[in-house]
Amino acid sequence: MDVLKHKCFLEELLFWTIKYEFPQKMVTFLLNMLPDQDYKIAFTKTFVQHYAFIMKTLKKSHESDTMSNRIVHISVQLFSNEELARQVTEECQLLDIMVTVLLYMMESCLIKSELQDEENSLHVVVNCGEALLKNNTYWPLVSDFINILSHQSVAKKFLEDHGLLVTWMNFVSFFQGMNLNKRELNEHVEFESQTYYAAFAAELEACAQPMWGLLSHCKVRETQEYTRNVVRYCLEALQDWFDAINFVDEPAPNQVTFHLPLHRYFAMFLSKAVKCQELDLDTILPDQEMLMKLMIHPLQIQASLSEIHSNMWVRNGLQIKGQAMTYVQSHFCNSMIDPDIYLLQVCASRLDPDYFISSVFERFKVVDLLTMASQHQNTVLDSEHERSMLEGALTFLVLLLSLRLHLGMTDDEILRAEMVAQLCMNDRTHSSLLDLIPENPNPKSGIIPGSLSFESVLSAVADFKAPVFEPGGSMQQGMYTPKAEVWDKEFDPVMVILRTVYRRDVQSAMDRYTAFLKQSGKFPGNPWPPYKKRTPLHPSYKGLIKLLHCKTLHIVLFTLLYKILMDHQNLSEHVLCMVLYLIELGLENSPEQESEEEESAGGQERCHDSWFPGSNLVSNMRHFINYVRVRVPETAPEVKKEPPASTSSDGLASSQCSRRKSLQRENSGTAQVFSLVAERRKKFQEIINRNTSEANQVVRPKASMKWSAPGATPQLTTAILEVKESILSLLIKLHHKLSGKQNSYYPPWLDDVDVLIHPEIPRYSHGDGMTAVERILLKAAVQSRLNKRIIEEICRKVTPPVPPKKISSAEKKTLDKEERRQKARERQQKLLAEFASRQKSFMETAMDVESPDADIAMEIATSEQHVSEAIYDCVICGQSGPSTEDRPTGLVVLLQASSVLGQCRNSTEPKKLPTTEEEQIYSRDTCAALHDVRLTTLQRYFKDSSCLQAVSIGWEGGVYVQTCGHTLHIDCHKSYMESLRNDQVLQGFSVDKGEFTCPLCRQFANSVLPCYPGNNMERSLWQSHSNKCMQDLVQEVEDLQEQLGTFPVSISSETNLSKEMESVMKDIKSTTQKKYTDYSKSPGSPDNDFLFMYSVARTNLELELVHRGGNLCSGGASTAGKRSCLNQLFHVLAMHMRLYSIDSAYNPWRKLTQPMQDKNPELISEELPEVPVLYRDVSSLLLIQILTMPQPLHKEHFTCIIKVLFTLLYTQALAALSVKCSAEDRMAWKESGALKKNTSGGEKSWEVLLGHVVSELSKGKIFEEGETEELTVVNPDSVECYLQQFCLPFLRITSLLQHHLFGGDLPSCQEDEEFTVLASCLGLLPSFQSSDQFTSASCLNWPVPAFDMISQWCSELASFADRHPDQVKALLIQEPKWDLPRLLQLPENYNTIFQYYHRKTCTVCTKVPKDPAVCLVCGTFVCLKGLCCKQQSYCECVLHSQNCGAGTGIFLLINASVIIIIRGHRFCLWGSVYLDAHGEEDRDLRRGKPLYICKERYKVLEQQWVSHTFDHINKRWGPHYNGL
């Protein structure tokens, strides 16, 4: 590092900029002058000159993150320009400087490597605990280096410069073997180090990324030289590394490092050389001894992965699992596990196969398990880990022999295989697929996920499932799912195993595969992983096939098949599956030179054991093995046996028998003890001795003795087993064993010779173990006639599976144990099944939160007519019984304030969310606003108490009551609440506010509504039709109202029931805010309470109507049939309403049913008059009448009240009509009405009545004011239609009320006959006429002569008109046509909303909010969490939710595209209604994809808002503490 000498101002400037850690203003200043070309070159050279100084400053900096960003901000402008980068490289040695600076930087944090030989190791590695690595301080320098290597001209210089390559390999070797893990054997580690994050990041960024950069320039033949250079220096560095760590031939036990960047450089350049540069592999491979060393460490990693998954590293803590997962994770796998496996494939293809196979089993520590004996000693492995380690070893061999990622697959095939593997594990969203598929094979290869090939492959292998909505409210994203033919032909378990980070994903893939086979009817049972044909091997790697055709592997396969057949311990179905997979791989890839009839025992073969004659699997499969010599512990059952007579007794010599002896004994057919380790030793010595380069060295001492396991091993003795099996016979017996039947295997070609000609039969492609065995036997038969013959012979003999000769007591015990286990298992299954069916029936009866239409088993009231009392089940104590005065039962209810009704507008077109300054939303035309105006106007001119009975409130902040339909004793509920209060678990609700979840269905609730005893009385009473005349009934109703003050005894005395009714009334009152209950001029007047109570009933009826779609055409029981609590609610309200007596002078009933005598008008002039009857809301009058009558009400009285009120309603309609039409029409009607007045049906003809109304109203100054809007055509039909529409809302509300009070279903009908059907249902129509001559007037039933009543009602208006002529028309009730409540309509594209709102200023604080949000109900723009708009500790969103929705707010968060719901004191994230083209959300707009409205989701949101079910459907609620 030279001393800096400054020669100009620019250098001085840059120096101080660096010294002060790149102040932002200086950076901007220096960058702003870059457009000047001379400055640019001068600045770049100065920057390079200061590079070392930058590195030093960066290392010392405390704010390295900010500084890094600013460095890269500058360097990316300079080094991304290829021309400039090349110039600086040539003139200023940019590459030398960069590599040296990186080297220096890393040299500051090196420590001695503890790998292999701790004492004598000379190797140094980076210390991953240092801040430099932990905080990624090196990344700006590395990213500059990667940046300049992306330029071909610069990379070429680098690859040609031998000195640079040596330095770079030196740099890479600092990472070789870093973060060494040592297996903890005794205690659990005290402190789990998290250094592995730093280690993996460092290898990926500092080693792998530059490697991929260099590889991207080695794509053509002309670049062969570069590869030779890299490989040469890489091998030199590796040799130095082996020498430095003092490595001979055995890795140190119980250590593993996942970081071997030198191995991976070597592997990736080899792969590129063969794939793109047509280099001959053998010219760049080192000698055999080097290959043997090269394979050791990657193999060690594979074995360690298996150990980690077998929980052998559990004492090292969770971080070791984290490392194993990161190693195979999608961002790392192509720089880590893939090169490792490829390198092992290269080594395997060049080394002796027997040596390689035995090395694998030795590394996986399962050599001792591979014996024919039923018992063995394993010196290096506990028996509980044996099974999973054996599975690991076999799975690794299958991976090694099946993967073709670098052995001949094209880039597109690789992409397809990766995609299929990911989709088979789980359905995936588009973005997660992009993330999970490794960039192929490197970031700069051109097949970037998201490119054309990605999309085309995706559409070829997967179907898109549009985002659906699951019941229960969990929202699905748009998913891709594999096509059926992919499951059928392309599902590759091997690829899935390679790519799974979590082991459970393999199971998930198999479960999905099983489901596909069941569904498509291909296979009903539990299938085994299918065998998939592989891409042909590239010729350079043909040697890999030798592994499948080597005796060592065949002996292992034979041994394992035998052990599985004999039920030895520690073997699993997975082991068998892998064994069969390997046999099948061998049959698929048989060496060409095998002559069909090669019968010999291979005399010319150097046969070092008497197991198999040759090395070809096809012929070895049929070779019978008669006797096997085994080493067993003296306790094993085999020892007791006598040796067979034919064997000479000296046969019991040890396993080191000379080859000559074994050949002599060949005739007796006894096989020798097979020792994998001995095999390997022999091979290794041979290779070492063959290497002439090593000839002058002494044969290296065996380092392996140092690690032999301590502890005395029990005596081993030798026994001879009689086997008499071949692989083929074992397979056939296995088939019998798997099927559980004798003779289950029958060679298919005996029936159909075609099988041998076309062996690819679909029926063998999917299935279980039996199918796999059949497939293998068929392939064996196809490949050799001898095999075919032998299979037939074996099948003819049909030997039963060999039972053990004598069953020793120990084995008997295990057998009994097995039987007992089996029985226990069956019992358990039975219990589970029973439990499941119980659970199912419970679910059917109780869990009905999601779908409101399903019936609940617990009827609120039993429907038999003769039962006088309803029976309730208490869901807490489980007892059934009636609700009594002393022990009342209650319904679980949720009370919530609602302003949904107030949001109705009188236009059918929903309002749009404003997205420009011009569009604004005014709430003038909402239902709530109009009702408010009306009440205020009435209060100005009329007496307050009378005004408060002329309208209903609750359009805003009304109380909605809903129930899940479950009942409980009120005393049980109290103790339940107590227990909740004492429960310390944090619930999502506040017990102090009375909130709880229903004990049975867990639905959210906050009160209990007492059930009035004797709930079925009305049902029986109303059946009896009475024939009293109208006048009598009117009188009876009046008498009943007179009794107001006198109560049934029970209620006047304090009972539990009345107490509960009072307390629930308090709850109802406190549910909504004070401002929504206080409307009278004198605060706290009883009229207020009276108004509030009947309005609660009105709100609930109106909301039910909205839930039915605004009309009653669909009929049927109420949508929430069993769940409606209106009946109980009515009783509670009625009990409280009757506490207020109506002064009989003002009783509206008299005004409706008796012509009044004229009072002297002067007497009352000093106080305001009462509201004229024609200005009163008829539905409100109905509720007042019903609720103030003694309960239970008789049906006949109910009908009488309706008839009377209908006459008033009709008159109101006529009055409204008369005001609407023109003066000429009025005259015409007046005359035509007068003519018909005296005809018989005069009282039931609208013309007559209208004429009368006009003439009466003309007496005042009503028609004098300017014309109002006119009805376009005034023909009889349009008048009739107008009158019906005017009366319909009242009829609907009344029908609902009748349905709830007296039962009986609502009739369904077409929309155009709704009026007639409801009228006849309510008893207004005496007999139902055909609809052609039907008129609405035929429903009228006048209690007293019609014309007298009308005159009386009209005179009130006339006298009002004299005083305030301007207001008369405005107050006449207009035709009430409200559309259903809707949320604002959102634009198609999210960008429209985002662009308008994310810069919009808040109207309250005039700042641009940090978190802008907009209300989807009224379009108000608010600051989320903004302290600027906080009022009395309430933030703006919470405040708005109270003002706009009485505690319910729906806000779209502009910067996150998600919707939040505020409900009272809680809030939840609802999700997003904007999805990208692939049906995915983009929360927080992180991915920046264009988003489009998902109409279905928005509909669901609106549905939940209207039906008040946010609390039930969304599960994740939290308190907001008024801070939103």
Side-chain angles (χ1 to χ4, degrees), residues 1164-1264:
I1164 50 167
S1165 56
E1166 71 279 353
E1167 63 174 34
L1168 292 172
E1170 286 213 1
V1171 179
V1173 177
L1174 288 180
Y1175 284 167
R1176 293 190 177 198
D1177 172 42
V1178 184
S1179 303
S1180 303
L1181 281 175
L1182 167 75
L1183 289 169
I1184 295 176
Q1185 295 299 326
I1186 303 286
L1187 288 170
T1188 49
M1189 303 263 297
Q1191 304 290 332
L1193 191 61
H1194 285 241
K1195 178 77 181 281
E1196 46 191 18
H1197 296 151
F1198 180 75
T1199 312
C1200 168
I1201 294 173
I1202 294 169
K1203 285 178 176 167
V1204 171
L1205 289 174
F1206 185 74
T1207 58
L1208 170 61
L1209 181 70
Y1210 204 77
T1211 315
Q1212 286 181 352
L1214 294 171
L1217 186 63
S1218 70
V1219 178
K1220 272 196 163 182
C1221 55
S1222 60
E1224 302 87 77
D1225 286 336
R1226 273 202 290 272
M1227 285 318 293
W1229 276 335
K1230 195 169 164 182
E1231 285 155 18
S1232 69
L1235 292 174
K1236 297 185 190 167
K1237 195 169 184 178
N1238 301 323
T1239 54
S1240 61
E1243 290 194 353
K1244 288 200 176 191
S1245 141
W1246 64 261
E1247 292 174 86
V1248 179
L1249 296 172
L1250 184 56
H1252 185 64
V1253 168
V1254 173
S1255 63
E1256 284 298 320
L1257 288 180
S1258 312
K1259 294 177 184 166
K1261 303 178 182 168
I1262 293 173
F1263 298 128
E1264 289 171 13

Side-chain angles (χ1 to χ4, degrees), residues 783-820:
Q783 294 219 5
S784 135
R785 287 206 298 281
L786 273 169
N787 283 357
K788 179 173 144 233
R789 206 172 64 225
I790 289 178
I791 293 174
E792 291 167 20
E793 269 174 37
I794 298 171
C795 287
R796 273 201 292 279
K797 280 191 216 152
V798 175
T799 44
V802 189
K805 293 285 188 307
K806 274 192 250 153
I807 293 185
S808 64
S809 58
E811 282 176 338
K812 203 168 204 152
K813 269 185 200 156
T814 55
L815 280 176
D816 292 350
K817 215 184 211 169
E818 272 306 303
E819 272 177 29
R820 284 206 300 277

Side-chain angles (χ1 to χ4, degrees), residues 1298-1511:
Q1298 173 176 299
H1299 165 68
H1300 286 299
L1301 288 180
F1302 303 105
D1305 272 358
L1306 294 162
S1308 56
C1309 57
Q1310 296 303 309
E1311 282 197 28
D1312 48 0
E1313 14 175 275
E1314 193 182 1
F1315 184 92
T1316 48
V1317 170
L1318 292 181
S1320 60
C1321 167
L1322 288 168
L1324 296 173
L1325 267 183
S1327 59
F1328 193 55
Q1329 314 142 322
S1330 63
S1331 54
D1332 48 345
Q1333 85 255 17
F1334 169 78
T1335 61
S1336 50
S1338 58
C1339 300
L1340 291 166
N1341 296 278
W1342 294 92
V1344 282
F1347 305 113
D1348 305 350
M1349 285 313 299
I1350 292 178
S1351 308
Q1352 180 187 319
W1353 293 339
C1354 291
S1355 66
E1356 294 183 329
L1357 285 198
S1359 66
F1360 174 61
D1362 294 342
R1363 281 168 298 173
H1364 307 285
D1366 52 338
Q1367 292 297 334
V1368 175
K1369 285 184 190 166
L1371 282 171
L1372 266 178
I1373 291 171
Q1374 297 304 312
E1375 175 191 4
K1377 203 169 179 199
W1378 296 111
D1379 194 39
L1380 294 174
R1382 305 280 295 273
L1383 293 175
L1384 299 174
Q1385 214 178 1
L1386 296 178
E1388 183 63 33
N1389 197 325
Y1390 189 67
N1391 199 28
T1392 322
I1393 298 182
F1394 185 74
Q1395 292 307 338
Y1396 176 60
Y1397 284 106
H1398 93 118
R1399 284 265 156 264
K1400 187 174 157 73
T1401 52
C1402 167
T1403 43
V1404 183
C1405 60
T1406 63
K1407 294 205 259 305
V1408 173
K1410 190 165 138 302
D1411 280 321
V1414 59
C1415 168
L1416 292 182
V1417 178
C1418 66
T1420 308
F1421 183 68
V1422 288
C1423 307
L1424 179 78
K1425 303 182 191 160
L1427 301 175
C1428 44
C1429 302
K1430 208 168 180 179
Q1431 299 177 20
Q1432 309 112 21
S1433 82
Y1434 287 98
C1435 281
E1436 195 174 13
C1437 276
V1438 177
L1439 212 59
H1440 181 77
S1441 73
Q1442 291 170 358
N1443 296 334
C1444 161
T1448 301
I1450 304 175
F1451 299 98
L1452 172 62
L1453 309 189
I1454 303 298
N1455 293 341
S1457 82
V1458 288
I1459 285 168
I1460 64 166
I1461 309 290
I1462 294 182
R1463 272 273 306 114
H1465 61 99
R1466 315 187 299 157
F1467 82 103
C1468 84
L1469 267 178
W1470 188 85
S1472 175
V1473 291
Y1474 278 96
L1475 306 177
D1476 68 10
H1478 302 285
E1480 287 181 67
E1481 297 184 351
D1482 186 6
R1483 296 198 174 184
D1484 300 333
L1485 306 182
R1486 285 209 183 97
R1487 294 181 295 123
K1489 294 274 188 280
L1491 299 175
Y1492 307 97
I1493 185 87
C1494 169
K1495 295 208 167 58
E1496 296 75 19
R1497 283 190 174 200
Y1498 200 46
K1499 194 143 212 71
V1500 169
L1501 177 72
E1502 189 173 73
Q1503 178 53 41
Q1504 290 179 12
W1505 171 62
V1506 171
S1507 61
H1508 302 83
T1509 48
F1510 284 136
D1511 295 281

Side-chain angles (χ1 to χ4, degrees), residues 335-479:
S335 313
M336 299 209 138
I337 189 171
D338 294 1
D340 287 355
I341 287 193
Y342 167 69
L343 184 58
L344 287 166
Q345 288 173 319
V346 171
C347 294
S349 69
R350 294 297 184 273
L351 288 171
D352 178 275
D354 293 301
Y355 170 77
F356 189 89
I357 294 280
S358 34
S359 297
V360 169
F361 287 111
E362 195 179 346
R363 279 291 75 75
F364 278 84
K365 303 182 177 172
V366 289
V367 176
D368 294 335
L369 174 66
L370 301 173
T371 164
M372 304 288 254
S374 59
Q375 293 187 8
H376 62 272
Q377 232 97 31
N378 194 332
T379 48
V380 280
L381 200 59
D382 297 342
S383 61
E384 77 248 32
H385 301 310
E386 278 187 338
R387 175 168 140 190
S388 58
M389 286 302 286
L390 178 61
E391 288 173 2
L394 292 167
T395 308
F396 164 68
L397 279 177
V398 167
L399 280 177
L400 188 81
L401 291 161
S402 310
L403 284 181
R404 300 280 183 271
L405 289 178
H406 291 285
L407 308 186
M409 285 174 85
T410 63
D411 285 352
D412 275 344
E413 287 172 334
I414 292 175
L415 180 63
R416 186 169 180 125
E418 296 274 8
M419 203 175 281
V420 168
Q422 291 299 344
L423 289 167
C424 288
M425 294 180 223
N426 278 304
D427 290 351
R428 306 279 189 193
T429 59
H430 190 271
S431 62
S432 66
L433 258 183
L434 275 177
D435 193 46
L436 287 166
I437 288 178
E439 301 173 53
N440 170 24
N442 70 60
K444 300 190 171 53
S445 68
I447 297 200
I448 303 151
S451 65
L452 287 170
S453 58
F454 183 88
E455 295 304 329
S456 60
V457 173
L458 181 57
S459 56
V461 299
D463 293 322
F464 180 63
K465 284 200 309 199
V468 286
F469 217 86
E470 291 185 342
S474 64
M475 278 171 290
Q476 290 296 322
Q477 313 259 45
M479 292 283 193

